Amino acid sequence: MSSPATTITVDFSHAKLASRNYEIAIAPQSLPYLGKKMMELEIGKKSKKVLVVSNPVIFKHYGTTVTTSLQSVGYEVADLILPAGERYKNANSLQKIYDAALAHRLERGSTIVALGGGVIGDMAGYAAATWLRGISLVQVPTTLLAMVDSAIGGKTGINHPQGKNLIGAFHQPRLVWVDPDVLRTLPAREFRTAMAEVIKYGVIWDAELFEQMLQSKRLDQLRYIKPDLLFAILSRCARAKAEIVSQDEKEGNIRAILNYGHTIGHAIEAVTNYRLFNHGEAVGLGMIAAGAIAASLNFWTEAERAKQQILIEKAGLPQQLPTDIDLHEIVAALSKDKKVTDGKVQFVVPTTIGKAMVTDQVTADTVSKVLTQNLTP
Amino acid sequence: MSSPATTITVDFSHAKLASRNYEIAIAPQSLPYLGKKMMELEIGKKSKKVLVVSNPVIFKHYGTTVTTSLQSVGYEVADLILPAGERYKNANSLQKIYDAALAHRLERGSTIVALGGGVIGDMAGYAAATWLRGISLVQVPTTLLAMVDSAIGGKTGINHPQGKNLIGAFHQPRLVWVDPDVLRTLPAREFRTAMAEVIKYGVIWDAELFEQMLQSKRLDQLRYIKPDLLFAILSRCARAKAEIVSQDEKEGNIRAILNYGHTIGHAIEAVTNYRLFNHGEAVGLGMIAAGAIAASLNFWTEAERAKQQILIEKAGLPQQLPTDIDLHEIVAALSKDKKVTDGKVQFVVPTTIGKAMVTDQVTADTVSKVLTQNLTP
């Protein structure tokens, strides 16, 4: 491995919930070494049984590599392939994981390996959280979004027919194993989508990452991202997420800043029936709005807002809402957001590049004005 | 309240998982004061919504008292009545709780109150553990078994069609509220069954409780138990369970002694298809066997074993297996127990009255011999 490689140790020693620490390891062409690493970490010391949960496309590309890697060091591997897509992140798929766990006789010392994107990671993670009241979990994220976001932090869960992520648990993985080379098979739109979350980390936590990204001519496709920048993105975002969640393992104060761009983003998704924009695209629009709100209330400067806009443009993310959207609906949808406390919308605003805070000083009027001025043609 | 009353604070400050401490409050005629107490503890400070989960018989007896108690201090109460019985502790009932949580719009600061025995406590507790990744839980146990055992310790879960308690989570309640007066409506067999677990606490943890019980002429029905003894049983067992689990919140070393009598007990239940004996009766038989094994291997004395036998007799628990049971099947069933590590059965044996340890020195031969000598006519 001549390319940069790193291991980030997520330190939970000072967290409210003293979960054990775990490693986020990032290295190109590392997928074949997963089994060896798990052995080193004594994962499955008391039971060699492993259930790999994946989806058809990912397992076709990487299933053999992962299975061979695990078997070659002595793990007894079974796999379960679940259909891809958010709409399958439900109780039915979960039951299939439980059934596979039973069929493969997973014990308390056994391990579930989640090989896939956020949907697989959330479901397999939740099954690991709840099978025999919790067994070991290894996250092998295969999408950029999972690598920088969902695989880190311990949030697991499934959807209720009437709402996303309503059912879940906090369950930290024993290891997060990131091989950037698997991103070559990631569809371009999914790459751009994830870039919205990457930009978010720059804005709320990591000014240096933000500046590095500004130096890149384009951010919209993997092939335009130089290896050093890709490595910076993966390691700095993982570190940011890990630092934020380890300071606040259960959702509380500091973790709330991770919702930057998400409050208005969720409202846009809801109003457009989750069809027009995917999650990252909606978050990009949400950041444009939140950044403009922050500038209009003097939380950060107009120049900082403009720099954020440049990154969103370089990432090829949408910068405007379609003309037929009723902006009032978006404002109305805000009040249904999960983050509402006592009727006040909790808003995350940047205070400079690399720092953010939560405020309840944002009125519906301000939101309306900013949406009109910044997200319509 | 002229009768004895107590509050036990479960101290998790030194536990591996630094869960918040919580109170186990025991007081006769305290049911109408549940709401007031919850307010004092600031349960639901951020959301007044409460979902009471119960079963038809219990809710008929105590539903109005509990609901009124909660409403009178400002809680917004909804209830969900689930059918009684272990066979309903499944994914279907769980889904009904989630649906009720959604219908009543439970938020992160809302509370689930489990009003019932172990089945209700386990299911409602698991729903509270997983709804929005964990909301507040108050246990109001209405059976002796739930009061001394299942409501304390944070184990929650449901059954998989092919195995009990395979799906679950650790989730500590904010409060356990015990009103001994509700035991008046408890069927006699359920009372005796729970007494097996009470005797267990005496043997493995609390010699003083053991001696107090020996002073009682009978232990098989509530009306033979003097108020002071009942209070000692409830408070000492709750304290024992709380001490044991707070020293070892996740199932590990010390908590394993709670399985005293359960290893052979589970095997007896399995071999008799869960029909002949209920759980407590099987545990009673398991304790007879484990006590005899301990005596034969000189872990404790023959005199101590005999005293345990007297308690089991006073509790009106069965002391023999039916003649048509194949003892070899019980020995074979032991190897399928969840507590097997590397093929060795982990056995809990008392080392004196009030102390126990785990050993793997018990051979199948010893078990066979003891079953023949102690559990057959």
Side-chain angles (χ1 to χ4, degrees), chain A residues 249-278:
Chain A
E249 197 196 18
K250 288 246 172 184
E251 194 139 0
N253 290 328
I254 193 167
R255 191 166 186 154
I257 66 169
L258 289 169
N259 289 316
Y260 176 59
H262 285 60
T263 309
I264 290 176
H266 283 150
I268 291 171
E269 281 184 283
V271 168
T272 56
N273 293 314
Y274 298 88
R275 283 189 196 133
L276 200 56
F277 303 109
N278 64 27

Side-chain angles (χ1 to χ4, degrees), chain B residues 210 288-310 350-353 370 373-374:
Chain B
F210 190 98
I288 293 174
I293 288 167
S296 80
L297 297 176
N298 290 318
F299 282 105
W300 71 349
T301 65
E302 172 57 26
E304 290 170 316
R305 187 207 62 76
K307 277 192 188 177
Q308 174 187 271
Q309 192 83 17
I310 291 169
T351 53
T352 181
I353 286 168
V370 161
Q373 290 172 353
N374 292 273

Side-chain angles (χ1 to χ4, degrees), chain B residues 152-164:
Chain B
I152 302 158
K155 278 192 181 181
T156 69
I158 58 170
N159 300 329
H160 183 277
Q162 288 171 65
K164 281 172 73 172

